[in-house]
Amino acid sequence: MSGAIRHLLSMADLDRDDIDRLLNLTESFAEVSERQIPKVPALRGKTIAWLFYEDSTRTRLSFETAAKRLSADTMNFSVGSSSVNKGESLRDTVETIAAMGVDGIVVRHRGAGAPHRITNWTDACVVNAGDGWHQHPTQSLLDIYTATRHLGSLEGRRVAIVGDIKHSRVARSNAIGFARMGADVTFVAPRTLLPASLEGWPVKVTHDLDEVIEDLDICYLLRMQRERQDDAVVPTLREFHEEYGLTTARADRLSPGSLIMHPGPMNRGVEISGEVADRPNAVITEQVTNGIAVRMAVLYLLLGSGLDLVEERTQVA
Ligand code: NCD
């Protein structure tokens, strides 16, 4: 993309320079987050509306915290208690919110492409916080940020994304994101948990985690999306754990310095053994922490007044 970024809908919209720019901004906001008063006036006077049609704990809290630290006003549109239950269409809902004067809309929706459609109905900047199986770009950015903090450049790094690829927007976002950063990405899953076609995807595929485990720099586990599966895609969760889970024995075969990642929420004992999730090279809670600074960077870039961060730092000092 490069140049002015209006919306963040998909990792496919970001080129390497855009990602680097966001990572640099994230670094500055991580520093803000460590201050005694972790707040800057960067988005004072701007209003952001939350439009979450799907359950979310960490993503929503993370966005809300990011907005607060940037001094933005927020408008909480609670889908459960809104006229959506009275049959209001997505378009009417968005136009109603837009009519109240919002600068940004952060949306999570079960329909792939919903955030893109919203951009046609409002002048506000739209951030995709997860759309169906399609994309979850801020998750990918926080994963890239967390990985680079530990590994430096991701050029040539070997990343396995393991488990329920088929139903995962995180897998689709990270395949693009990590590949853009020069990493070598492999999807590891049984046939039943892979999309029908992977043509054009910047990934390799294997059905055998044991074949690749020792070579990995990052072992990225996905949650089994049981709520999105209509048929039995694995024989039993126990068998899935034995074949595709990061068991204690497999985690012992990871090379020193490699990272274990997971977007959360975790199913301990399914895609990852409970003990492995707490090992020092598992950076899962760090991913959550970094999510705030990354979302500050995204909101700032899309909605920001253009003030230089350094200038703002002196304003708040
Ligand atoms: C992910 C999501 O919602 O796509 N979680 C998240 O954003 N924290 C992954 C998941 O639900 O498994």
Side-chain angles (χ1 to χ4, degrees):
M1 185 189 278
S2 277
I5 298 179
R6 280 277 296 139
H7 308 289
L8 180 60
L9 305 178
S10 165
M11 285 306 285
D13 299 338
L14 303 178
D15 62 24
R16 175 76 177 261
D17 286 346
D18 297 325
I19 298 175
D20 282 334
R21 211 163 131 209
L22 278 160
L23 296 182
N24 287 336
L25 262 177
T26 300
E27 193 70 55
S28 311
F29 285 124
E31 183 270 312
V32 168
S33 295
E34 278 159 20
R35 293 187 201 165
Q36 216 170 5
I37 302 173
K39 204 159 174 162
V40 286
L43 293 188
R44 194 181 281 159
K46 303 276 183 188
T47 304
I48 303 171
W50 316 118
L51 199 51
F52 276 68
Y53 285 85
E54 259 191 11
D55 292 344
S56 169
T57 323
R58 73 201 69 212
T59 303
R60 185 172 177 148
L61 276 177
S62 177
F63 267 111
E64 284 179 0
T65 309
K68 275 192 197 132
R69 292 189 180 170
L70 292 166
S71 311
D73 293 319
T74 57
M75 198 186 276
N76 219 332
F77 188 87
S78 161
V79 172
S81 58
S82 72
S83 7
V84 169
N85 285 342
K86 299 178 189 162
E88 187 171 62
S89 73
L90 180 60
R91 180 174 184 157
D92 287 335
T93 305
V94 168
E95 287 179 350
T96 304
I97 293 175
M100 292 182 202
V102 296
D103 302 287
I105 297 178
V106 177
V107 59
R108 171 169 282 198
H109 197 282
R110 59 194 291 274
H116 182 261
R117 293 213 311 283
I118 290 175
T119 62
N120 297 318
W121 305 324
T122 169
D123 292 332
C125 304
V126 177
V127 181
N128 181 3
D131 62 331
W133 303 356
H134 179 226
Q135 280 285 309
H136 190 359
T138 56
Q139 178 69 46
S140 179
L141 290 167
L142 75 87
D143 291 332
I144 292 171
Y145 179 76
T146 306
T148 52
R149 282 193 67 150
H150 287 271
L151 304 174
S153 165
L154 299 184
E155 200 68 57
R157 295 290 192 174
R158 277 160 300 201
V159 182
I161 301 180
V162 188
D164 187 358
I165 312 274
K166 183 176 177 181
H167 304 97
S168 176
R169 52 195 174 211
V170 175
R172 287 173 179 77
S173 305
N174 267 338
I176 300 173
F178 280 124
R180 287 268 202 277
M181 301 310 287
D184 180 357
V185 183
T186 304
F187 280 167
V188 186
R191 267 173 235 285
T192 49
L193 289 178
L194 284 168
S197 164
L198 280 167
E199 218 186 293
W201 281 86
V203 296
K204 296 182 192 130
V205 180
T206 173
H207 309 297
D208 186 358
L209 181 54
D210 289 312
E211 179 189 285
V212 294
I213 192 96
E214 279 158 13
D215 301 326
L216 298 179
D217 295 294
I218 299 175
C219 185
Y220 195 106
L221 289 319
L222 298 168
R223 182 173 67 87
M224 271 294 242
Q225 309 263 327
R226 277 176 283 183
E227 78 282 11
R228 296 195 186 141
Q229 298 167 1
D230 14 81
D231 0 277
V233 285
V234 289
T236 64
L237 291 179
R238 223 187 93 187
E239 278 172 78
F240 175 81
H241 180 67
E242 272 156 26
E243 269 197 64
Y244 290 96
L246 191 60
T247 58
T248 306
R250 280 199 186 99
D252 289 342
R253 291 174 56 211
L254 282 167
S255 69
S258 62
L259 303 179
I260 298 167
M261 301 181 77
H262 191 300
M266 274 186 281
N267 292 309
R268 287 181 190 248
V270 180
E271 64 269 4
I272 186 165
S273 109
E275 178 271 320
V276 169
D278 299 324
R279 289 192 180 190
N281 59 332
V283 292
I284 300 162
T285 48
E286 218 179 296
Q287 288 170 263
V288 178
T289 306
N290 291 336
I292 298 174
V294 161
R295 290 175 175 119
M296 287 172 83
V298 167
L299 294 174
Y300 178 80
L301 195 69
L302 298 180
L303 297 162
S305 54
L307 270 183
D308 196 278
L309 260 185
V310 179
E311 198 181 310
E312 288 178 17
R313 258 188 226 149
T314 53
Q315 279 180 20
V316 287

